[in-house]
Short mmCIF file of all heavy atoms in Angstrom, two decimals:
data_model
loop_
_atom_site.label_atom_id
_atom_site.label_comp_id
_atom_site.label_asym_id
_atom_site.label_seq_id
_atom_site.Cartn_x
_atom_site.Cartn_y
_atom_site.Cartn_z
N LYS A 41 -14.99 48.02 -20.96
CA LYS A 41 -14.16 46.93 -21.46
C LYS A 41 -14.86 45.59 -21.27
O LYS A 41 -14.79 44.71 -22.13
CB LYS A 41 -12.81 46.92 -20.75
CG LYS A 41 -11.89 48.06 -21.17
CD LYS A 41 -10.54 47.96 -20.49
CE LYS A 41 -9.61 49.08 -20.94
NZ LYS A 41 -8.29 49.00 -20.26
N LYS A 42 -15.55 45.44 -20.15
CA LYS A 42 -16.28 44.20 -19.90
C LYS A 42 -17.40 44.03 -20.92
O LYS A 42 -17.62 42.93 -21.45
CB LYS A 42 -16.85 44.21 -18.48
CG LYS A 42 -17.60 42.93 -18.11
CD LYS A 42 -18.12 42.99 -16.69
CE LYS A 42 -18.87 41.71 -16.34
NZ LYS A 42 -19.40 41.75 -14.96
N LYS A 43 -18.10 45.13 -21.23
CA LYS A 43 -19.17 45.07 -22.23
C LYS A 43 -18.61 44.74 -23.61
O LYS A 43 -19.20 43.96 -24.36
CB LYS A 43 -19.93 46.39 -22.27
CG LYS A 43 -20.80 46.64 -21.05
CD LYS A 43 -21.57 47.94 -21.18
CE LYS A 43 -22.49 48.16 -19.98
NZ LYS A 43 -23.22 49.44 -20.09
N GLU A 44 -17.45 45.34 -23.95
CA GLU A 44 -16.83 45.03 -25.24
C GLU A 44 -16.46 43.56 -25.33
O GLU A 44 -16.65 42.92 -26.36
CB GLU A 44 -15.58 45.90 -25.43
CG GLU A 44 -15.88 47.37 -25.67
CD GLU A 44 -14.62 48.19 -25.82
OE1 GLU A 44 -13.53 47.57 -25.77
OE2 GLU A 44 -14.70 49.42 -25.99
N LYS A 45 -15.94 43.02 -24.23
CA LYS A 45 -15.57 41.60 -24.21
C LYS A 45 -16.80 40.72 -24.36
O LYS A 45 -16.81 39.75 -25.12
CB LYS A 45 -14.82 41.28 -22.92
CG LYS A 45 -14.27 39.86 -22.86
CD LYS A 45 -13.47 39.65 -21.60
CE LYS A 45 -12.90 38.23 -21.54
NZ LYS A 45 -12.11 38.02 -20.29
N GLU A 46 -17.88 41.08 -23.63
CA GLU A 46 -19.11 40.30 -23.73
C GLU A 46 -19.71 40.40 -25.13
O GLU A 46 -20.20 39.41 -25.68
CB GLU A 46 -20.10 40.80 -22.67
CG GLU A 46 -19.70 40.46 -21.25
CD GLU A 46 -20.66 41.07 -20.23
OE1 GLU A 46 -21.52 41.86 -20.64
OE2 GLU A 46 -20.53 40.74 -19.03
N ASN A 47 -19.66 41.59 -25.73
CA ASN A 47 -20.18 41.76 -27.09
C ASN A 47 -19.38 40.94 -28.09
O ASN A 47 -19.94 40.39 -29.03
CB ASN A 47 -20.16 43.24 -27.48
CG ASN A 47 -21.20 44.05 -26.72
OD1 ASN A 47 -22.18 43.51 -26.22
ND2 ASN A 47 -20.97 45.34 -26.60
N ALA A 48 -18.05 40.88 -27.90
CA ALA A 48 -17.22 40.11 -28.81
C ALA A 48 -17.60 38.63 -28.77
O ALA A 48 -17.71 37.97 -29.81
CB ALA A 48 -15.74 40.30 -28.46
N PHE A 49 -17.80 38.10 -27.55
CA PHE A 49 -18.20 36.70 -27.43
C PHE A 49 -19.59 36.48 -28.01
O PHE A 49 -19.86 35.46 -28.64
CB PHE A 49 -18.15 36.26 -25.97
CG PHE A 49 -16.78 35.92 -25.48
CD1 PHE A 49 -16.12 36.74 -24.58
CD2 PHE A 49 -16.13 34.78 -25.93
CE1 PHE A 49 -14.84 36.43 -24.14
CE2 PHE A 49 -14.86 34.46 -25.49
CZ PHE A 49 -14.21 35.29 -24.59
N ALA A 50 -20.50 37.44 -27.81
CA ALA A 50 -21.85 37.32 -28.35
C ALA A 50 -21.81 37.29 -29.88
O ALA A 50 -22.54 36.52 -30.51
CB ALA A 50 -22.72 38.47 -27.86
N GLN A 51 -20.96 38.11 -30.47
CA GLN A 51 -20.85 38.13 -31.93
C GLN A 51 -20.28 36.82 -32.45
O GLN A 51 -20.76 36.28 -33.46
CB GLN A 51 -19.96 39.30 -32.36
CG GLN A 51 -20.60 40.66 -32.11
CD GLN A 51 -19.66 41.81 -32.42
OE1 GLN A 51 -18.55 41.59 -32.91
NE2 GLN A 51 -20.09 43.03 -32.14
N MET A 52 -19.26 36.28 -31.78
CA MET A 52 -18.70 35.00 -32.21
C MET A 52 -19.72 33.88 -32.08
O MET A 52 -19.85 33.03 -32.96
CB MET A 52 -17.44 34.68 -31.40
CG MET A 52 -16.23 35.53 -31.76
SD MET A 52 -14.70 34.95 -30.98
CE MET A 52 -15.04 35.32 -29.26
N ASN A 53 -20.47 33.89 -30.99
CA ASN A 53 -21.51 32.87 -30.80
C ASN A 53 -22.59 32.98 -31.86
O ASN A 53 -23.12 31.96 -32.33
CB ASN A 53 -22.12 33.01 -29.40
CG ASN A 53 -21.15 32.61 -28.30
OD1 ASN A 53 -20.21 31.87 -28.53
ND2 ASN A 53 -21.38 33.13 -27.10
N THR A 54 -22.94 34.21 -32.26
CA THR A 54 -23.96 34.40 -33.29
C THR A 54 -23.49 33.84 -34.63
O THR A 54 -24.25 33.19 -35.34
CB THR A 54 -24.28 35.89 -33.43
OG1 THR A 54 -24.72 36.40 -32.17
CG2 THR A 54 -25.38 36.11 -34.45
N ILE A 55 -22.23 34.10 -34.97
CA ILE A 55 -21.70 33.58 -36.23
C ILE A 55 -21.68 32.05 -36.21
O ILE A 55 -22.04 31.40 -37.20
CB ILE A 55 -20.28 34.14 -36.47
CG1 ILE A 55 -20.36 35.65 -36.73
CG2 ILE A 55 -19.62 33.44 -37.65
CD1 ILE A 55 -19.02 36.32 -36.84
N GLY A 56 -21.28 31.47 -35.08
CA GLY A 56 -21.31 30.01 -34.97
C GLY A 56 -22.72 29.46 -35.07
O GLY A 56 -22.95 28.42 -35.70
N ALA A 57 -23.69 30.17 -34.48
CA ALA A 57 -25.08 29.74 -34.57
C ALA A 57 -25.59 29.82 -36.01
O ALA A 57 -26.32 28.94 -36.47
CB ALA A 57 -25.95 30.60 -33.66
N HIS A 58 -25.20 30.87 -36.73
CA HIS A 58 -25.59 30.99 -38.15
C HIS A 58 -25.04 29.82 -38.96
O HIS A 58 -25.73 29.27 -39.83
CB HIS A 58 -25.07 32.31 -38.71
CG HIS A 58 -25.87 33.50 -38.26
ND1 HIS A 58 -25.52 34.79 -38.58
CD2 HIS A 58 -27.00 33.59 -37.52
CE1 HIS A 58 -26.41 35.62 -38.05
NE2 HIS A 58 -27.30 34.91 -37.40
N LEU A 59 -23.79 29.45 -38.69
CA LEU A 59 -23.19 28.33 -39.41
C LEU A 59 -23.98 27.04 -39.17
O LEU A 59 -24.32 26.32 -40.12
CB LEU A 59 -21.74 28.16 -38.98
CG LEU A 59 -20.89 27.13 -39.74
CD1 LEU A 59 -19.43 27.55 -39.72
CD2 LEU A 59 -21.01 25.73 -39.12
N LEU A 60 -24.30 26.76 -37.92
CA LEU A 60 -25.02 25.52 -37.61
C LEU A 60 -26.44 25.55 -38.16
O LEU A 60 -26.96 24.53 -38.63
CB LEU A 60 -25.04 25.30 -36.10
CG LEU A 60 -23.68 25.01 -35.45
CD1 LEU A 60 -23.83 24.90 -33.94
CD2 LEU A 60 -23.08 23.73 -36.02
N CYS A 61 -27.08 26.73 -38.12
CA CYS A 61 -28.43 26.83 -38.67
C CYS A 61 -28.45 26.57 -40.17
O CYS A 61 -29.34 25.88 -40.69
CB CYS A 61 -29.01 28.22 -38.37
SG CYS A 61 -29.47 28.47 -36.65
N ASN A 62 -27.47 27.12 -40.88
CA ASN A 62 -27.40 26.88 -42.32
C ASN A 62 -27.03 25.43 -42.64
O ASN A 62 -27.53 24.86 -43.61
CB ASN A 62 -26.38 27.82 -42.96
CG ASN A 62 -26.86 29.25 -43.02
OD1 ASN A 62 -28.05 29.51 -42.94
ND2 ASN A 62 -25.94 30.19 -43.14
N LEU A 63 -26.17 24.86 -41.81
CA LEU A 63 -25.73 23.49 -42.06
C LEU A 63 -26.86 22.49 -41.86
O LEU A 63 -26.96 21.49 -42.57
CB LEU A 63 -24.55 23.16 -41.14
CG LEU A 63 -23.93 21.78 -41.28
CD1 LEU A 63 -23.32 21.60 -42.67
CD2 LEU A 63 -22.85 21.58 -40.22
N THR A 64 -27.72 22.76 -40.89
CA THR A 64 -28.79 21.82 -40.55
C THR A 64 -30.16 22.24 -41.09
O THR A 64 -31.17 21.66 -40.71
CB THR A 64 -28.89 21.66 -39.02
OG1 THR A 64 -29.17 22.95 -38.43
CG2 THR A 64 -27.59 21.14 -38.45
N CYS A 65 -30.20 23.26 -41.97
CA CYS A 65 -31.50 23.75 -42.44
C CYS A 65 -32.26 22.68 -43.22
O CYS A 65 -33.50 22.64 -43.19
CB CYS A 65 -31.30 25.00 -43.30
SG CYS A 65 -30.36 24.74 -44.82
N SER A 66 -31.56 21.79 -43.90
CA SER A 66 -32.25 20.75 -44.67
C SER A 66 -32.96 19.74 -43.78
O SER A 66 -33.89 19.06 -44.21
CB SER A 66 -31.25 20.02 -45.57
OG SER A 66 -30.26 19.37 -44.80
N MET A 67 -32.54 19.65 -42.52
CA MET A 67 -33.18 18.75 -41.58
C MET A 67 -34.43 19.37 -40.95
O MET A 67 -35.25 18.66 -40.39
CB MET A 67 -32.19 18.37 -40.47
CG MET A 67 -30.92 17.74 -40.97
SD MET A 67 -29.63 17.64 -39.69
CE MET A 67 -30.46 16.69 -38.43
N ARG A 68 -34.56 20.70 -41.07
CA ARG A 68 -35.64 21.40 -40.38
C ARG A 68 -36.66 22.03 -41.32
O ARG A 68 -37.77 22.31 -40.91
CB ARG A 68 -35.03 22.48 -39.48
CG ARG A 68 -34.14 21.91 -38.39
CD ARG A 68 -33.48 22.97 -37.53
NE ARG A 68 -32.43 23.69 -38.25
CZ ARG A 68 -32.48 24.96 -38.58
NH1 ARG A 68 -33.55 25.67 -38.25
NH2 ARG A 68 -31.49 25.54 -39.22
N PHE A 69 -36.26 22.28 -42.58
CA PHE A 69 -37.16 22.96 -43.51
C PHE A 69 -37.19 22.22 -44.84
O PHE A 69 -36.29 21.45 -45.16
CB PHE A 69 -36.70 24.41 -43.75
CG PHE A 69 -36.55 25.21 -42.49
CD1 PHE A 69 -35.29 25.55 -42.01
CD2 PHE A 69 -37.66 25.63 -41.78
CE1 PHE A 69 -35.13 26.29 -40.86
CE2 PHE A 69 -37.52 26.38 -40.62
CZ PHE A 69 -36.26 26.71 -40.16
N GLU A 70 -38.21 22.51 -45.62
CA GLU A 70 -38.33 21.94 -46.95
C GLU A 70 -37.48 22.74 -47.92
O GLU A 70 -37.18 23.92 -47.70
CB GLU A 70 -39.79 21.93 -47.41
CG GLU A 70 -40.70 21.03 -46.58
CD GLU A 70 -42.11 21.03 -47.11
OE1 GLU A 70 -42.39 21.81 -48.05
OE2 GLU A 70 -42.94 20.27 -46.58
N GLY A 71 -37.13 22.09 -49.03
CA GLY A 71 -36.33 22.78 -50.03
C GLY A 71 -36.39 22.06 -51.36
O GLY A 71 -36.71 20.87 -51.44
N HIS A 72 -36.07 22.79 -52.43
CA HIS A 72 -36.08 22.20 -53.77
C HIS A 72 -34.94 21.20 -53.94
O HIS A 72 -35.05 20.24 -54.70
CB HIS A 72 -35.96 23.30 -54.83
CG HIS A 72 -37.07 24.30 -54.79
ND1 HIS A 72 -38.37 23.96 -55.10
CD2 HIS A 72 -37.08 25.62 -54.46
CE1 HIS A 72 -39.14 25.04 -54.98
NE2 HIS A 72 -38.38 26.05 -54.59
N LEU A 73 -33.84 21.45 -53.24
CA LEU A 73 -32.67 20.58 -53.41
C LEU A 73 -31.95 20.48 -52.06
O LEU A 73 -30.82 20.93 -51.90
CB LEU A 73 -31.74 21.16 -54.48
CG LEU A 73 -30.63 20.23 -55.01
CD1 LEU A 73 -31.24 19.02 -55.71
CD2 LEU A 73 -29.73 20.98 -55.98
N ASN A 74 -32.63 19.89 -51.09
CA ASN A 74 -32.05 19.75 -49.77
C ASN A 74 -30.87 18.78 -49.78
O ASN A 74 -30.85 17.81 -50.53
CB ASN A 74 -33.10 19.26 -48.77
CG ASN A 74 -33.82 20.42 -48.10
OD1 ASN A 74 -33.32 21.55 -48.10
ND2 ASN A 74 -34.98 20.16 -47.53
N VAL A 75 -29.89 19.07 -48.92
CA VAL A 75 -28.68 18.26 -48.85
C VAL A 75 -28.62 17.58 -47.49
O VAL A 75 -28.69 18.24 -46.45
CB VAL A 75 -27.42 19.13 -49.06
CG1 VAL A 75 -26.17 18.28 -48.89
CG2 VAL A 75 -27.45 19.76 -50.44
N ASP A 76 -28.51 16.28 -47.50
CA ASP A 76 -28.34 15.52 -46.27
C ASP A 76 -26.89 15.64 -45.80
O ASP A 76 -25.96 15.76 -46.61
CB ASP A 76 -28.71 14.06 -46.51
CG ASP A 76 -28.68 13.25 -45.23
OD1 ASP A 76 -29.64 13.35 -44.45
OD2 ASP A 76 -27.69 12.53 -45.01
N LEU A 77 -26.68 15.58 -44.49
CA LEU A 77 -25.33 15.71 -43.96
C LEU A 77 -24.42 14.59 -44.45
O LEU A 77 -23.21 14.77 -44.62
CB LEU A 77 -25.37 15.73 -42.43
CG LEU A 77 -26.07 16.93 -41.79
CD1 LEU A 77 -26.01 16.82 -40.27
CD2 LEU A 77 -25.46 18.23 -42.25
N ASN A 78 -24.99 13.41 -44.69
CA ASN A 78 -24.19 12.30 -45.23
C ASN A 78 -23.69 12.60 -46.64
O ASN A 78 -22.60 12.16 -47.03
CB ASN A 78 -25.00 11.01 -45.22
CG ASN A 78 -25.30 10.52 -43.82
OD1 ASN A 78 -24.47 10.68 -42.92
ND2 ASN A 78 -26.47 9.94 -43.63
N GLU A 79 -24.48 13.35 -47.41
CA GLU A 79 -24.05 13.72 -48.75
C GLU A 79 -22.86 14.66 -48.73
O GLU A 79 -22.03 14.64 -49.63
CB GLU A 79 -25.21 14.37 -49.51
CG GLU A 79 -26.40 13.46 -49.77
CD GLU A 79 -27.49 14.17 -50.56
OE1 GLU A 79 -27.16 14.79 -51.59
OE2 GLU A 79 -28.66 14.11 -50.14
N ILE A 80 -22.78 15.50 -47.70
CA ILE A 80 -21.65 16.42 -47.60
C ILE A 80 -20.35 15.64 -47.45
O ILE A 80 -19.36 15.89 -48.16
CB ILE A 80 -21.85 17.38 -46.41
CG1 ILE A 80 -23.06 18.29 -46.69
CG2 ILE A 80 -20.60 18.21 -46.16
CD1 ILE A 80 -23.40 19.21 -45.55
N THR A 81 -20.33 14.67 -46.53
CA THR A 81 -19.11 13.89 -46.34
C THR A 81 -18.82 13.03 -47.57
O THR A 81 -17.65 12.82 -47.92
CB THR A 81 -19.23 13.00 -45.11
OG1 THR A 81 -20.39 12.15 -45.24
CG2 THR A 81 -19.40 13.84 -43.86
N MET A 82 -19.84 12.56 -48.25
CA MET A 82 -19.62 11.70 -49.41
C MET A 82 -19.01 12.48 -50.57
O MET A 82 -18.15 11.98 -51.29
CB MET A 82 -20.94 11.07 -49.86
CG MET A 82 -20.82 10.12 -51.05
SD MET A 82 -22.42 9.43 -51.54
CE MET A 82 -22.85 8.52 -50.06
N ASN A 83 -19.45 13.73 -50.76
CA ASN A 83 -19.02 14.51 -51.91
C ASN A 83 -17.80 15.39 -51.65
O ASN A 83 -17.09 15.74 -52.59
CB ASN A 83 -20.17 15.40 -52.40
CG ASN A 83 -21.29 14.61 -53.05
OD1 ASN A 83 -21.29 14.36 -54.24
ND2 ASN A 83 -22.28 14.21 -52.25
N LEU A 84 -17.57 15.75 -50.40
CA LEU A 84 -16.49 16.68 -50.11
C LEU A 84 -15.24 16.03 -49.54
O LEU A 84 -14.23 16.70 -49.35
CB LEU A 84 -16.97 17.76 -49.12
CG LEU A 84 -18.17 18.61 -49.56
CD1 LEU A 84 -18.41 19.73 -48.56
CD2 LEU A 84 -17.96 19.18 -50.95
N VAL A 85 -15.30 14.74 -49.24
CA VAL A 85 -14.15 14.06 -48.64
C VAL A 85 -13.68 12.97 -49.61
O VAL A 85 -14.19 11.85 -49.58
CB VAL A 85 -14.51 13.45 -47.26
CG1 VAL A 85 -13.30 12.78 -46.64
CG2 VAL A 85 -15.07 14.52 -46.34
N PRO A 86 -12.70 13.27 -50.47
CA PRO A 86 -12.25 12.28 -51.44
C PRO A 86 -11.40 11.17 -50.83
O PRO A 86 -11.32 10.07 -51.38
CB PRO A 86 -11.43 13.11 -52.43
CG PRO A 86 -10.95 14.27 -51.63
CD PRO A 86 -12.01 14.56 -50.63
N PHE A 87 -10.73 11.45 -49.71
CA PHE A 87 -9.90 10.46 -49.03
C PHE A 87 -10.26 10.46 -47.54
O PHE A 87 -10.57 11.52 -46.98
CB PHE A 87 -8.41 10.77 -49.21
CG PHE A 87 -8.00 10.87 -50.65
CD1 PHE A 87 -7.75 12.10 -51.24
CD2 PHE A 87 -7.88 9.73 -51.44
CE1 PHE A 87 -7.38 12.20 -52.56
CE2 PHE A 87 -7.51 9.82 -52.77
CZ PHE A 87 -7.26 11.06 -53.33
N PRO A 88 -10.23 9.30 -46.89
CA PRO A 88 -10.74 9.19 -45.50
C PRO A 88 -10.13 10.18 -44.52
O PRO A 88 -10.83 10.77 -43.71
CB PRO A 88 -10.41 7.74 -45.12
CG PRO A 88 -10.31 7.01 -46.41
CD PRO A 88 -9.76 7.99 -47.40
N LYS A 89 -8.81 10.37 -44.59
CA LYS A 89 -8.14 11.22 -43.59
C LYS A 89 -8.30 12.71 -43.89
O LYS A 89 -8.17 13.54 -42.99
CB LYS A 89 -6.66 10.86 -43.51
CG LYS A 89 -6.39 9.46 -42.99
CD LYS A 89 -4.90 9.18 -42.93
CE LYS A 89 -4.63 7.77 -42.43
NZ LYS A 89 -3.16 7.49 -42.38
N LEU A 90 -8.56 13.06 -45.13
CA LEU A 90 -8.62 14.47 -45.53
C LEU A 90 -10.06 14.97 -45.41
O LEU A 90 -10.73 15.24 -46.41
CB LEU A 90 -8.08 14.64 -46.95
CG LEU A 90 -6.69 14.05 -47.21
CD1 LEU A 90 -6.24 14.37 -48.63
CD2 LEU A 90 -5.68 14.57 -46.20
N HIS A 91 -10.52 15.12 -44.19
CA HIS A 91 -11.92 15.48 -43.95
C HIS A 91 -12.05 16.80 -43.20
O HIS A 91 -13.08 17.06 -42.57
CB HIS A 91 -12.62 14.36 -43.16
CG HIS A 91 -11.95 14.04 -41.86
ND1 HIS A 91 -11.05 13.01 -41.73
CD2 HIS A 91 -12.02 14.63 -40.65
CE1 HIS A 91 -10.62 12.96 -40.48
NE2 HIS A 91 -11.19 13.94 -39.80
N LEU A 92 -11.04 17.65 -43.26
CA LEU A 92 -11.08 18.94 -42.57
C LEU A 92 -11.67 19.99 -43.51
O LEU A 92 -11.03 20.36 -44.50
CB LEU A 92 -9.68 19.35 -42.11
CG LEU A 92 -8.95 18.33 -41.22
CD1 LEU A 92 -7.58 18.85 -40.84
CD2 LEU A 92 -9.77 18.03 -39.97
N LEU A 93 -12.87 20.45 -43.21
CA LEU A 93 -13.57 21.38 -44.10
C LEU A 93 -13.46 22.81 -43.57
O LEU A 93 -13.59 23.06 -42.37
CB LEU A 93 -15.04 20.99 -44.22
CG LEU A 93 -15.33 19.55 -44.70
CD1 LEU A 93 -16.83 19.33 -44.81
CD2 LEU A 93 -14.64 19.28 -46.03
N LEU A 94 -13.23 23.75 -44.48
CA LEU A 94 -13.20 25.17 -44.17
C LEU A 94 -14.56 25.78 -44.48
O LEU A 94 -15.17 25.46 -45.50
CB LEU A 94 -12.11 25.87 -44.98
CG LEU A 94 -10.68 25.37 -44.74
CD1 LEU A 94 -9.73 26.00 -45.74
CD2 LEU A 94 -10.24 25.68 -43.32
N SER A 95 -15.03 26.65 -43.62
CA SER A 95 -16.38 27.21 -43.78
C SER A 95 -16.31 28.72 -43.98
O SER A 95 -15.42 29.40 -43.48
CB SER A 95 -17.24 26.88 -42.55
OG SER A 95 -16.62 27.36 -41.38
N SER A 96 -17.29 29.23 -44.72
CA SER A 96 -17.47 30.66 -44.91
C SER A 96 -18.96 30.93 -45.09
O SER A 96 -19.70 30.08 -45.58
CB SER A 96 -16.68 31.17 -46.12
OG SER A 96 -17.03 30.44 -47.28
N ILE A 97 -19.39 32.12 -44.66
CA ILE A 97 -20.80 32.48 -44.67
C ILE A 97 -20.97 33.84 -45.33
O ILE A 97 -20.16 34.74 -45.14
CB ILE A 97 -21.38 32.54 -43.24
CG1 ILE A 97 -21.11 31.24 -42.48
CG2 ILE A 97 -22.87 32.82 -43.26
CD1 ILE A 97 -21.52 31.29 -41.02
N ALA A 98 -22.03 33.98 -46.10
CA ALA A 98 -22.41 35.28 -46.65
C ALA A 98 -23.93 35.42 -46.57
O ALA A 98 -24.65 34.50 -46.95
CB ALA A 98 -21.94 35.42 -48.11
N PRO A 99 -24.43 36.55 -46.07
CA PRO A 99 -23.67 37.64 -45.44
C PRO A 99 -23.18 37.25 -44.05
O PRO A 99 -23.86 36.52 -43.34
CB PRO A 99 -24.69 38.78 -45.37
CG PRO A 99 -26.01 38.09 -45.28
CD PRO A 99 -25.88 36.83 -46.11
N LEU A 100 -22.02 37.75 -43.68
CA LEU A 100 -21.42 37.43 -42.38
C LEU A 100 -21.95 38.43 -41.37
O LEU A 100 -21.34 39.46 -41.09
CB LEU A 100 -19.89 37.51 -42.47
CG LEU A 100 -19.10 36.95 -41.29
CD1 LEU A 100 -19.43 35.49 -41.06
CD2 LEU A 100 -17.61 37.12 -41.52
#
Side-chain angles (χ1 to χ4, degrees):
K41 288 183 178 179
K42 182 179 180 181
K43 288 183 178 179
E44 289 179 2
K45 186 176 181 180
E46 291 176 352
N47 290 337
F49 280 109
Q51 292 175 4
M52 287 189 292
N53 291 337
T54 302
I55 293 174
H58 284 175
L59 186 151
L60 293 176
C61 287
N62 288 340
L63 182 63
T64 59
C65 63
S66 62
M67 303 168 58
R68 298 177 288 113
F69 305 108
E70 296 182 354
H72 299 294
L73 194 63
N74 269 341
V75 176
D76 186 78
L77 295 181
N78 292 325
E79 295 181 50
I80 294 176
T81 57
M82 182 181 298
N83 289 271
L84 301 187
V85 182
F87 304 105
K89 295 180 181 180
L90 307 184
H91 57 264
L92 304 180
L93 304 182
L94 300 172
S95 57
S96 55
I97 307 174
L100 191 58

